[in-house]
Amino acid sequence: MVQAPPRAALRRLTGLRHTSPGRLQLLLVTLLALTALTGLVAGVTASAAATGTADLRDRAQPLMSEAQTVYSSLADADTTAARAFITGGLEPAVLTRRYEDDLERAAAALTSAARRVPADGRAGEAIQRIATGLTRYTALIASARTLNRQGKPVGAAYLSTASQLNRETLQPQAQLLFQEARRAADSGYDDAEASWWLMLLVVLFVGLAVALVWTQIYLSRSTNRLFNVPLLAASGVAVLLVIGCVVVFGHQRGQLVAADRDGSAPLEVLAEKRILVLRERADEALTLAARAGHGPLEEEFRQLSERVTFDDPQLDDMPALMREAADLHGEFLTSHRQVRSLDDGGDYEGAVELAASDDMAQTFDRLTATLDRAMDDRRAAFGSRIKAAGSGLGALIVLGPLLALVIGVLATIGLRARLEEYR
C-alpha cells in the first residue's frame, strides 16, 4: 500500500531522530526556522512600533491639539462677544478682531480635524454639528450687536441665546471631539507600544536561546568537542540582537510614558483650566449684559472659580508659570468682586466701566497668555519625547532581520561541519 505523500514525508522526518546525522539535520531545521521567525518578528515589531509612534505624532496628538483649539476658541468667542456687548454702542475694534480671529481659528481647526477622522464616526458627527451650529451662532451675535448699537435692550436676549447655543451645543460637541481625540491618542500609545508583537518576539527569543544552548550541549556530548565556534558566534550575535531590542524598545517605551506624562496629560489639564477661566469672564460679562445681578450665571462663576486651581501634580514641571497664573487669577477674582460690589450697590455703569477697563482686560489677557505659554511648553515636551521615542526603530527594522540572517548562517556553518563528518 502506497502511503500518502504528506504521511510519508512525516514518517521520514520523524525517522531522522533515530540517527545522529538525522538529529543534527533536525536541529539545523529548528534553528533556521526559529532564526527566520525571530528576524521577521523583530523587523515587524520595530515597524509596528515606528508606525504607531509616527501616527501618534502626526495624527492622534495633532487631533487632540485641534480639538483643544476648537473648544478654547468657542469659549473665547463667547467671552469676547459678551465683553464687547457690555461696552455699548460700537464695539471696540480690538474685541471685534479677537472675536473674528476666534471663529477663524475654530473653523480652521475643524477643517484640519475633519481630515483626520472618519466622517461617519462620533468625531466626524461632532465636527459637522459644530460647523452647522457656528453659522447660527454668528448670525445671533450679529443680530445682538446690531440691536445693541441701536440701543435696543432686546439685543441682550439675542446675546443670551447665542451664548446658550455656544455653551449647551457647540462647546459640548467640542468636548466630545476632544474626548474622541483623547481616545485616539490612547489608542495611538497602544499601537506605538506594539505589545502583542513584542510578547511574541520575547517568546521567540527564549525559544531561539534554548535551541542554541541545547544544540551546543548535544554537540559537546556527541562529538567530545567542548566548543563549536560558529555556534558560539551565533549565540553572541543572538545576545547582541536581544540587547539591541531591549535597548531600543525599552527606550521607546520610556519615552512614550514620558510623552504622556510630560505632554498629553498636562496639556489636557491646562486646556480645561483655560476654558474654565474663559467661562468665568463670560459669566461676568453676561451677568452685566442681562442686568441679572446675583443670578444663575454668578452662581456658576462661583462654582467655576472653586475649580480653577494651579497646584495640580501634573503641572509640577512648570512651577513658575503656575505661580504666575495663580497670581493673575487671584487679581482677576479681586477685580470681579469689585465689579459685583459696584453692581450690587446700584452703580451699574461703574461696574460695566470696571469690567471693560483696560486694567482688568490686561490682567485677564496675561492670565490666558500665561496658560498659552504653559501649553506651548508641554507641546514642545511632547514633541521632543515622541521624536526620541522613534529613534533607533528604523535601524532595528533592518538590523533585526539582518542579524537573524547572520545567526542562521553561523548555525548552518557550525552544524554542516559536523554533518560532513558522517559522509
Side-chain angles (χ1 to χ4, degrees), residues 1 78 166-167 173 175 195 209 287 325 328 360:
M1 181 177 179
D78 187 46
N166 193 320
R167 291 171 175 232
Q173 290 299 319
Q175 188 174 33
S195 297
T287 299
L328 289 169
M360 195 165 179

Side-chain angles (χ1 to χ4, degrees), residues 212-273:
L212 283 169
V213 171
W214 173 252
T215 299
Q216 292 175 80
I217 291 174
Y218 174 78
L219 288 177
S220 177
R221 290 175 177 176
S222 61
T223 64
N224 294 322
R225 293 188 177 94
L226 188 58
F227 297 115
N228 183 295
V229 176
L231 284 176
L232 277 177
S235 300
V237 175
V239 170
L240 181 63
L241 177 57
V242 170
I243 292 174
C245 288
V246 168
V247 170
V248 172
F249 289 124
H251 173 74
Q252 187 229 13
R253 287 290 184 99
Q255 292 299 323
L256 288 176
V257 170
D260 189 35
R261 182 192 64 228
D262 301 338
S264 299
L267 267 173
E268 187 173 352
V269 173
L270 288 166
E272 181 185 6
K273 293 187 183 302

Side-chain angles (χ1 to χ4, degrees), residues 43-299:
V44 170
T45 304
S47 179
T51 301
T53 302
D55 183 69
L56 183 61
R57 180 192 65 225
D58 299 334
R59 187 187 68 85
Q61 188 64 27
L63 180 60
M64 271 190 70
S65 180
E66 288 154 2
Q68 289 169 354
T69 299
V70 172
Y71 197 175
S72 183
S73 296
L74 290 172
D76 194 66
D78 187 46
T79 301
T80 306
R83 287 172 59 192
F85 186 90
I86 64 173
T87 60
L90 187 64
E91 299 88 353
V94 64
L95 292 180
T96 300
R97 186 165 56 252
R98 178 167 177 165
Y99 166 78
E100 292 172 349
D101 288 345
D102 283 333
L103 295 183
E104 288 178 3
R105 277 195 299 272
L110 277 176
T111 301
S112 182
R115 293 195 293 264
R116 303 182 193 275
V117 299
D120 56 350
R122 294 183 67 194
E125 292 176 0
I127 290 171
Q128 292 175 5
R129 290 173 182 169
I130 295 170
T132 301
L134 268 178
T135 302
R136 184 173 172 229
Y137 174 75
T138 54
L140 287 168
I141 291 296
S143 297
R145 292 166 64 181
T146 300
L147 292 166
N148 191 41
R149 290 170 188 166
Q150 297 171 358
K152 295 181 179 181
V154 73
Y158 277 89
L159 177 68
S160 177
T161 301
S163 181
Q164 185 177 14
L165 173 63
N166 193 320
R167 291 171 175 232
E168 297 181 6
T169 300
L170 300 184
Q171 290 187 40
Q173 290 299 319
Q175 188 174 33
L176 174 61
L177 175 61
F178 180 80
Q179 291 169 351
E180 290 300 307
R182 180 65 200 183
R183 289 192 187 95
D186 291 340
S187 177
Y189 280 111
D190 291 339
D191 291 343
E193 289 175 352
S195 297
W196 290 106
W197 283 112
L198 199 56
M199 285 189 285
L200 177 58
L201 181 61
V202 170
V203 171
L204 288 172
F205 274 144
V206 172
L208 180 60
V210 170
L212 283 169
V213 171
W214 173 252
T215 299
Q216 292 175 80
I217 291 174
Y218 174 78
L219 288 177
S220 177
R221 290 175 177 176
S222 61
T223 64
N224 294 322
R225 293 188 177 94
L226 188 58
F227 297 115
N228 183 295
V229 176
L231 284 176
L232 277 177
S235 300
V237 175
V239 170
L240 181 63
L241 177 57
V242 170
I243 292 174
C245 288
V246 168
V247 170
V248 172
F249 289 124
H251 173 74
Q252 187 229 13
R253 287 290 184 99
Q255 292 299 323
L256 288 176
V257 170
D260 189 35
R261 182 192 64 228
D262 301 338
S264 299
L267 267 173
E268 187 173 352
V269 173
L270 288 166
E272 181 185 6
K273 293 187 183 302
R274 192 180 191 279
I275 290 165
L276 289 177
V277 299
L278 287 169
R279 292 191 66 173
E280 284 181 325
R281 184 69 157 146
D283 283 347
E284 178 185 73
L286 288 167
T287 299
L288 291 173
R291 298 177 183 264
H294 278 287
L297 289 174
E298 180 58 24
E299 177 59 25

